[in-house]
């Protein structure tokens, strides 16, 4: 056994080394002065969900109000009302899309279940407010963010999504071509032909085409 | 330090005094004792005030209780006569939430059980569901799970030791050293999963997303720096005379009692019982890695501290081996559906060695999308069963150190 | 570990009068469970703990399960004489499952490192006959977990040394993990932000709900 007190002295030496080191060794100085200095967030960082639009913040929303995220959200913080046209026919567009971020737990499950790549995670974290019931309930227009913004914050992921959507669109177009050439083809094509006739489908949204593109095995050779 | 007799004196164990609602008004006659650890109802004694005893409630808001947690201590002078933990301040009926939602929607809630170790909680739940539904996990996903679970173990143990030292009066320094290292690991988690603590990363049959570019290199760099941190931490603490005086011989837990009371994790191994689920159940791919299970000798608080230090070193060894050979391939079983996941009717109990002990999930499926029964076996809750036994006869300040070494997180205790 | 059938036979021999039954498990057949009657549960538990071949010294998990009354359709394979030849015939049998509560114990052996053995005790109904035997005298680890099962499910464990509520407060009346539990509109004086916000949102946009 050592002399009594050597253990304490050993510890003191360690703290002294850290103290001196904190002046020159970046490994030992790990804090930053937050509001002035900022760390860059990693690409995967997430805070709360946002809705992606392509061109126009309202018309270009990819969301088709399918309500899958509303159903799957574990804390049930999403509230969606589907839009309807003058005759009361449902349009593929959310009239109301509310997200209560005082309830949202940033789990990202809405992003995973969304079949239209419409809802994604934002990285903005400075959201504190003194209005508990007003500013913490985000509406559709607060949530709408452009695809360019999405590219800025999640570059890799956004590139993957864009590639996937472009691919799907190409497939759908390839499938639509033979369908237009042969109007007397069987049922799925007929349903496909009917889809563009709907007034609701947002022009730019590839999402609207996606469900029809799903059973597209005959079109695959054409796409390849 | 170990008492001479293997059987501790449990006659002082308090029992029915605090009963508010006792349905068993006439308790059944105690069955014939076959072991020294059997609890039997004790006849009522004189009220505490008549015996000169003082009842003190520590908490619910007290810096030493690791959260919102109350300890009802009955003291004779400074010595503890009774020590009853009171739970439920953080109770949110997690199990009911799990039963009301789908299998997937319970996953982010598991993060909030033991919020220090969200990734091992995720794994425990995924393990139980995979057992229930009979799913296989791709090799790469298993490697990622092991890497994240061992990183979790290191940051949990480091933080716990920091908190334990805080309990001993070492304000800040060890805790901040631990947090500095924990920060590096949390940065890795953030880069991988998007969140530092509430990771929600694992999915049934694999992981949510693949490793981002450069993550493995960064992880290797952090792991390479870990032994230096362990050495520094040990220089700072292990031979410190104050630490030794305050922790050696305090809170001795005999191995027989530890086994009977279902104590698991570092606390059990500090009592010398070799039971590590990574070796016993060999879940994941742990049988591919070489590591040892550190065991204590005396079962006191110092051994619990030392076992955790050694476990961190072993975890770093596992990490070094795992990071050498992360295989390629898919990260999730493509057959598993995210939505409308319906395991067939039946039940399964999946468990793993979380940093705090055995974390188990018991699931009963009735064939629907929601689990019929969703039960968590929380290690820090069950490890508190024998808190009173360990504190009996010691002073209050020792009791807080013992509580600190149990390693509890109230999110998991109260659920 | 021995198969459950062997354990059942040996336990019946060791504890005279014990009524044991096997309950199948559809998902993990190896983890079928042993149902024991409450009168002999403690004796059977001691046998399981002390038997040199089993030594199930570690009770990992104790919990309750609430089974509502239900009718269950089961497919049972039986051997029958069909046209003079014995054949295996699949029949659908519908039987009523009376509502009951269940205490489930998961037992392991730390010495022999095997397990689990799933032990179950069942109550007669969900209303007034909700007593089972406490196994806390056999395994200390059941102490808090049985209290929790009492608190959340209302299973009364006879012989438990300190059976009172553990997670809910002492004045609480109901058992919240029961399947038919109806939660109050609000536990707290202050309305929770969530409901309030949603209500406000609905009032704000007076839209008809969809059919």
């Amino acid at each position: 056994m050592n002399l009594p007190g050597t253990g304490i002295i050993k510890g003191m030496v360690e703290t002294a080394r850290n103290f001196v080191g904190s002046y020159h060794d970046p490994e030992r100085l790990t804090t930053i002065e937050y509001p002035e200095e900022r760390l860059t967030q990693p690409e995967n960082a997430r805070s709360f969900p946002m809705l992606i639009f392509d061109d126009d913040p309202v018309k270009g929303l990819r969301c088709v109000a399918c309500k899958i995220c509303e159903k799957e959200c574990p804390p049930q913080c999403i509230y969606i009302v589907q839009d309807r046209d003058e005759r009361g026919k449902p349009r593929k567009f959310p009239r109301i899309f509310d997200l209560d971020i005082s309830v949202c737990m940033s789990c990202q499950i809405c992003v995973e279940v969304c079949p239209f790549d419409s809802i994604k995670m934002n990285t903005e974290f400075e959201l504190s407010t003194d209005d508990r019931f007003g500013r913490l309930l985000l509406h559709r227009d607060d949530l709408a963010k452009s695809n360019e913004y999405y590219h800025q914050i999640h570059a890799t992921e956004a590139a993957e999504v864009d590639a996937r959507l472009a691919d799907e669109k190409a497939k759908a177009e390839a499938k639509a071509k033979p369908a237009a050439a042969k109007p007397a083809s069987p049922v799925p094509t007929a349903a496909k032909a009917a889809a563009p006739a709907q007034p609701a489908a947002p022009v730019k949204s590839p999402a609207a085409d996606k469900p029809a593109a799903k059973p597209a095995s005959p079109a695959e050779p054409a796409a390849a | 330090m170990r008492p001479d007799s293997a059987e501790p004196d449990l006659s002082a164990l308090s029992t029915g005094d605090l009963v508010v609602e006792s349905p068993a008004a006439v308790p059944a006659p105690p069955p014939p004792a076959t072991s020294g650890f059997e609890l039997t109802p004790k006849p009522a004694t004189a009220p505490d005030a008549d015996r000169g005893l003082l009842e003190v409630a520590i908490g619910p808001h007290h810096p030493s209780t690791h959260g919102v947690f109350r300890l009802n201590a009955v003291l004779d002078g400074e010595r503890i006569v009774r020590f009853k933990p009171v739970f439920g301040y953080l109770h949110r009926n997690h199990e009911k939430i799990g039963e009301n939602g789908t299998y997937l929607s319970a996953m982010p809630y598991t993060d909030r059980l033991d919020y220090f170790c969200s990734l091992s909680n995720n794994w425990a739940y995924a393990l139980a569901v995979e057992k229930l539904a009979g799913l296989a996990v791709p090799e790469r996903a298993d490697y990622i799970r092991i890497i994240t679970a061992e990183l979790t173990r290191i940051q949990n143990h480091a933080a716990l030791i920091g908190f334990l030292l805080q309990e001993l009066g070492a304000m800040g320094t060890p805790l901040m050293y631990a947090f500095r290292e924990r920060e590096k690991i949390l940065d890795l988690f953030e880069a991988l999963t998007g969140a530092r603590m509430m990771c929600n990363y694992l999915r049934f049959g694999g992981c949510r997303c693949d490793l981002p570019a450069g993550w493995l290199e960064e992880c290797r760099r952090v792991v390479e720096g870990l032994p230096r941190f362990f050495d520094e931490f040990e220089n700072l603490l292990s031979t410190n005379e104050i630490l030794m005086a305050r922790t050696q011989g305090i809170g001795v837990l005999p191995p027989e009692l530890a086994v009977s009371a279902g104590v698991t994790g570092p606390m059990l191994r500090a009592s010398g019982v070799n039971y590590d689920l990574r070796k016993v159940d060999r879940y994941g791919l742990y049988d591919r890695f070489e590591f040892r299970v550190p065991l204590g000798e005396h079962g006191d608080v110092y051994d619990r501290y030392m076992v955790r230090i050694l476990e961190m070193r072993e975890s770093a060894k596992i990490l070094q081996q795992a990071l050498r050979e992360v295989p390629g391939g898919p990260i999730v079983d493509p057959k598993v559906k995210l939505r409308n996941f319906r395991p067939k009717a039946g039940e399964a109990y999946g468990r793993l060695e979380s940093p705090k002990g055995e974390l188990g999930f018991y699931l009963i499926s009735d064939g629907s999308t929601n689990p019929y029964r969703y039960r968590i076996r929380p290690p820090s809750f069950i490890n508190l069963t024998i808190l009173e036994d360990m504190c009996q006869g010691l002073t209050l300040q020792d009791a807080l150190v013992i509580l600190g070494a149990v390693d509890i997180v109230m999110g998991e205790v109260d659920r | 570990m021995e198969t459950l059938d062997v354990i059942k036979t040996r336990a019946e021999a060791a504890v005279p009068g014990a009524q044991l039954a096997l309950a199948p498990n559809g998902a993990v057949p190896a983890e079928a469970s042993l149902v024991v009657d409450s009168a002999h549960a403690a004796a059977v538990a001691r046998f399981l703990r002390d038997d040199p071949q089993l030594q199930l010294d570690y009770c990992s998990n104790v919990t309750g399960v609430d089974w509502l009354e239900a009718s269950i359709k089961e497919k049972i394979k039986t051997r029958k004489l069909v046209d003079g030849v014995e054949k295996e015939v699949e029949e659908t049998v519908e039987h009523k499952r009376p509502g009951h509560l269940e205490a489930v114990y998961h037992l392991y052996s730390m010495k022999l490192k095997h397990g689990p053995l799933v032990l179950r005790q069942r109550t007669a109904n969900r209303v007034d006959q909700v007593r089972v035997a406490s196994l806390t005298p056999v395994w200390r680890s059941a102490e808090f977990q049985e209290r929790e099962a009492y608190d959340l499910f209302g299973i009364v464990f006879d012989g438990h040394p300190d059976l009172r509520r553990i997670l809910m407060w002492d004045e609480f009346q109901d058992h919240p993990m029961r399947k038919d539990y109806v939660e109050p509109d609000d536990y707290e004086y202050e309305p929770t932000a969530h409901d309030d916000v949603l209500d406000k949102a609905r009032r704000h946009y007076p839209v008809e709900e969809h059919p």
Side-chain angles (χ1 to χ4, degrees), chain A residues 31-105:
Chain A
T31 51
I32 59 158
E33 310 252 342
Y34 157 60
E36 290 84 31
E37 282 177 80
R38 278 156 189 277
L39 292 172
T40 49
Q41 282 184 291
E43 222 180 89
N44 274 344
R46 62 176 199 254
S47 65
F48 293 107
M50 59 183 180
L51 293 173
I52 305 292
F53 64 83
D54 281 315
D55 296 319
D56 184 81
V58 178
K59 286 218 177 84
L61 273 184
R62 290 180 185 172
C63 179
V64 298
C66 67
K67 298 197 180 188
I68 289 177
C69 54
E70 188 188 34
K71 192 162 158 270
E72 296 290 325
C73 173
Q76 297 288 306
C77 70
I78 303 177
Y79 178 69
I80 301 174
V81 174
Q82 199 175 20
D83 197 18
R84 280 158 188 266
D85 61 13
E86 310 81 53
R87 285 171 297 161
K89 260 181 95 182
R91 297 175 63 212
K92 288 184 171 177
F93 181 71
R95 178 149 153 218
I96 297 169
F97 194 113
D98 282 355
L99 199 143
D100 187 352
I101 59 168
S102 67
V103 173
C104 175
M105 56 186 193

Side-chain angles (χ1 to χ4, degrees), chain B residues 94 106-114 118 121-122 125 361 374:
Chain B
H94 183 117
M107 184 62 92
Y109 285 107
T110 61
D111 291 337
R112 285 134 178 101
L113 279 175
D114 170 1
S118 61
N121 298 344
N122 283 179
Y125 180 50
F361 280 82
Y374 167 87

